[in-house]
Amino acid sequence: MRKTVKGRWRLAVALGVAATLGISGCSLNEDTGSSTTSTDGSVLRIGTTTDVSNFNPLQSLSKTDSWILNAMYPHLLRIDENAKKAPELAKEYRYEDGGKTAVFVLRDDFTWTDGKPVVADDVKFSAEMIMKYKLGNVAAKLTWVESIEAPDATTVKFKLSQPYAPFAEGVGFWMSIVPKHVFESAGDLSKFPNDSNWVGAGPFVLDSITKGQRYVMKRNPNYPLAPGGKAAVSQVEYRVYPDVNTMMLALRNGDIDLMGTPVPVSAVKTFQADSNIKLVKVGALGFAHLTYNMKNKQLADQQVRQALSMSVDTKSIISSVLQGDGQQMAGPISPIFSEYDNTEIQPYPFDPAGAKAKLSAAGYKDANNDGFFDELAFGVACDQSNANITRVVQLFRESAAKAGIKLENECVERNTFLSRTKNGEYDIDASQWGVFDNPMDQLRSTYLSSNPGGINYNLLESPEMDQLINDAAATTDPEAFKAKIKNIDKVVHDQAYLTPLYVENFQFAYNASKFTGFVPSPSDLLGMVTAYSLAQVTPAK
């Protein structure tokens, strides 16, 4: 890790997104139009394809939720352009007591927009409420916390029941910090909509909403991570478009200045010819995959999952969908984590005939001779705004048919997709993880049956997996830890709980004739719209 903050960025002990919240009945600050008709050149307009579904930053969040709320509520740490953890609210952290106490030391110059300082009690309160109400995916990262202390305004101590290798970086990056003096009067925070009168401490704070159209954010006049203590951009406006194609047209026409989502590979060349549009390539911290619902009787059969994995022509998908700009995966650990990726396992081969033979041997029949096994018909759910994944589903349907498996395209609007996935209302989930910042947290979030607020979309309940994950999590010897992660990688691969597809690069497009200074971070979720990046943007001269 790079040393920053006057050489005192320390790691004293070396130890090795998405539920929706209904807001019906909640009043919103409806936009009157006064704050969105400005001709001020410092208004940055960003395109998105989804509305905000949840204004509570302590919950798990979908993509647009994260973009807006992360610009309002600080995190202890952020991920920089090199995929390394960097200071945000915390200027340093360390471990004490053999790894059983994680200590964060905070900056003292963050303030809430109502004038109150951001202090250690805000961090303590945020974490304790997440634990109390089991809120979002951060709840799983706080599993081993026995108590939290705030001995002074800038120190927070997390007392752990046992060492957990990635605790500080995981909690530091993922946990939003909320103002205790605002949220403590809300009662049950699992039901708190936080849909008006926002108080934040990020570079921007929500000002008004016209649902289905725009979300207007005003500049926080005091943001210490921006040059000069406040963002150069006076206003950020997220505009909602029905699909990526419409958003791309809006960028070309000058209606927006930045696409929040990556440019589809097929459209990159159209932007390269535009002298005003600049493309920026970033890497991925997540990966595309197919996940199988273990509550489905047929998909609970390992033979069926393996046959489906043999029915995916991943190499062809990478070639046609990504124009070759992607890397195939074998297990659930991305090759970006080279120390933990089990290179001894290989991707399932594309072999429809072999898949059909496997299913026949397992007893599945085609009684009516229509070319499909009688019991093997599944829906494939996806976010229809993701052009690449939508294409993947189409190609998967075609290749699976060769193996005698009938698939139906069930791609829908993003928030509907997220709700169905979270509630297990699907057979096969075709999607793309946005950010995994370390393998251990990834495995706990996706496969631990007791994980509160996690993303176990398999709905897997496996004592074997639980034991393997919990054992690895408590392992502080670096080499033993790596070996246990690689073993879990192999178990998930052999069981075919998911079919990893690819890791891709992303390209983001913005109007360089109007704005400059973006600091992109890896992944399609972070991209160009992190709080830190928006705070660095300046109007082009």
Side-chain angles (χ1 to χ4, degrees):
M1 178 173 293
R2 296 182 308 169
K3 293 185 178 181
T4 58
V5 190
K6 299 181 180 179
R8 295 183 59 81
W9 179 244
R10 299 173 296 177
L11 177 56
V13 177
L15 300 172
V17 211
T20 55
L21 174 66
I23 57 172
S24 57
C26 301
S27 62
L28 298 177
N29 290 348
E30 292 295 338
D31 177 26
T32 62
S34 60
S35 59
T36 62
T37 56
S38 172
T39 58
D40 183 352
S42 68
V43 176
L44 174 65
R45 299 159 301 172
I46 304 173
T48 182
T49 57
T50 55
D51 273 296
V52 174
S53 62
N54 180 2
F55 293 90
N56 187 335
L58 301 183
Q59 298 275 10
S60 289
L61 305 170
S62 65
K63 187 172 294 184
T64 305
D65 301 7
S66 296
W67 293 344
I68 291 177
L69 296 178
N70 287 346
M72 297 169 61
Y73 301 98
H75 292 217
L76 293 165
L77 307 175
R78 64 181 181 88
I79 288 181
D80 68 14
E81 59 272 29
N82 299 311
K84 302 296 184 182
K85 297 292 170 51
E88 190 172 323
L89 176 59
K91 63 181 181 179
E92 61 183 62
Y93 71 89
R94 64 181 181 270
Y95 285 103
E96 298 175 346
D97 303 328
K100 293 182 66 175
T101 299
V103 182
F104 290 93
V105 179
L106 311 184
R107 297 176 63 117
D108 61 3
D109 52 359
F110 270 72
T111 58
W112 299 107
T113 49
D114 61 3
K116 297 183 180 295
V118 180
V119 294
D121 273 341
D122 294 315
V123 179
K124 179 176 184 290
F125 171 81
S126 300
E128 289 177 341
M129 293 303 99
I130 290 171
M131 292 190 294
K132 177 178 180 178
Y133 297 107
K134 294 181 170 57
L135 300 176
N137 66 345
V138 178
K141 304 180 191 302
L142 295 168
T143 299
W144 292 286
V145 174
E146 293 187 329
S147 63
I148 307 172
E149 299 175 2
D152 56 57
T154 59
T155 306
V156 186
K157 295 186 175 185
F158 291 84
K159 303 285 187 176
L160 311 180
S161 61
Q162 63 186 46
Y164 178 53
F167 175 83
E169 290 200 355
V171 170
F173 170 67
W174 286 101
M175 186 173 70
S176 296
I177 309 305
V178 300
K180 176 182 177 181
H181 63 283
V182 174
F183 277 62
E184 66 181 346
S185 62
D188 185 345
L189 290 186
S190 69
K191 301 176 181 178
F192 179 43
N194 190 40
D195 56 3
S196 62
N197 302 316
W198 297 280
V199 174
F204 297 93
V205 178
L206 264 173
D207 179 66
S208 62
I209 294 170
T210 303
K211 194 165 186 178
Q213 297 182 45
R214 59 177 60 88
Y215 295 78
V216 178
M217 307 187 76
K218 290 295 185 67
R219 175 174 55 198
N220 178 356
N222 300 294
Y223 185 67
L225 298 186
K230 66 178 180 181
V233 172
S234 65
Q235 182 174 297
V236 170
E237 178 184 325
Y238 280 88
R239 293 191 175 184
V240 183
Y241 292 92
D243 52 59
V244 175
N245 290 331
T246 308
M247 192 199 310
M248 290 192 295
L249 181 61
L251 180 60
R252 290 194 192 95
N253 292 342
D255 296 326
I256 59 174
D257 310 302
L258 166 69
M259 287 178 56
T261 55
V263 178
V265 174
S266 59
V268 167
K269 290 184 179 179
T270 64
F271 283 125
Q272 289 175 337
D274 191 324
S275 60
N276 290 328
I277 305 299
K278 182 174 182 178
L279 290 165
V280 177
K281 181 180 288 191
V282 303
L285 290 174
F287 58 91
H289 60 94
L290 302 168
T291 293
Y292 307 112
N293 188 337
M294 296 292 287
K295 299 301 183 183
N296 180 293
K297 179 180 178 180
Q298 284 72 41
L299 293 173
D301 184 344
Q302 180 185 11
Q303 302 297 315
V304 172
R305 299 193 303 272
Q306 290 180 338
L308 282 161
S309 296
M310 296 165 64
S311 304
V312 186
D313 191 353
T314 305
K315 291 182 179 179
S316 178
I317 287 172
I318 292 173
S319 176
S320 60
V321 176
L322 302 182
Q323 305 296 301
D325 195 8
Q327 182 176 353
Q328 187 174 8
M329 291 178 58
I333 304 300
S334 170
I336 195 171
F337 302 116
S338 58
E339 292 182 294
Y340 305 98
D341 181 25
N342 190 338
T343 56
E344 294 182 1
I345 62 178
Q346 298 297 317
Y348 283 89
F350 175 55
D351 184 4
K356 182 175 285 190
K358 177 184 284 286
L359 293 170
S360 295
Y364 292 94
K365 307 289 185 183
D366 177 12
N368 60 4
N369 295 313
D370 66 350
F372 294 99
F373 290 102
D374 300 335
E375 298 178 66
L376 302 183
F378 307 110
V380 184
C382 87
D383 168 15
Q384 65 185 13
S385 70
N386 188 320
N388 288 347
I389 295 296
T390 302
R391 178 62 175 152
V392 166
V393 172
Q394 179 182 344
L395 294 173
F396 183 30
R397 288 181 62 199
E398 295 170 0
S399 62
K402 298 176 182 178
I405 305 172
K406 182 180 290 186
L407 302 178
E408 294 295 333
N409 185 326
E410 294 183 352
C411 296
V412 293
E413 179 271 335
R414 179 172 177 78
N415 286 333
T416 302
F417 164 71
L418 292 172
S419 177
R420 290 179 182 175
T421 304
K422 180 67 175 179
N423 295 326
E425 299 169 356
Y426 74 97
D427 298 325
I428 301 173
D429 164 12
S431 59
Q432 189 158 317
W433 298 125
V435 174
F436 285 128
D437 65 310
N438 67 78
M440 189 71 256
D441 275 353
Q442 171 192 337
L443 293 172
R444 293 190 71 248
S445 293
T446 50
Y447 298 112
L448 190 66
S449 60
S450 62
N451 181 6
I455 47 178
N456 179 2
Y457 294 158
N458 280 111
L459 304 179
L460 178 66
E461 297 180 9
S462 168
E464 177 193 12
M465 283 295 293
D466 289 352
Q467 174 63 31
L468 291 171
I469 291 169
N470 288 328
D471 179 53
T475 301
T476 57
D477 178 76
E479 294 307 313
F481 180 72
K482 292 174 189 176
K484 291 178 180 182
I485 294 295
K486 289 182 178 181
N487 181 54
I488 298 172
D489 197 1
K490 184 178 187 302
V491 171
V492 173
H493 171 268
D494 293 347
Q495 287 291 329
Y497 290 136
L498 87 166
T499 303
L501 296 175
Y502 53 76
V503 178
E504 69 171 308
N505 291 319
F506 301 105
Q507 296 211 55
F508 293 90
Y510 69 97
N511 191 332
S513 70
K514 295 186 64 177
F515 291 98
T516 188
F518 294 96
V519 181
S521 294
S523 91
D524 62 327
L525 178 63
L526 301 176
M528 309 282 276
V529 294
T530 64
Y532 185 81
S533 177
L534 295 178
Q536 313 309 308
V537 175
T538 59
K541 296 180 181 179

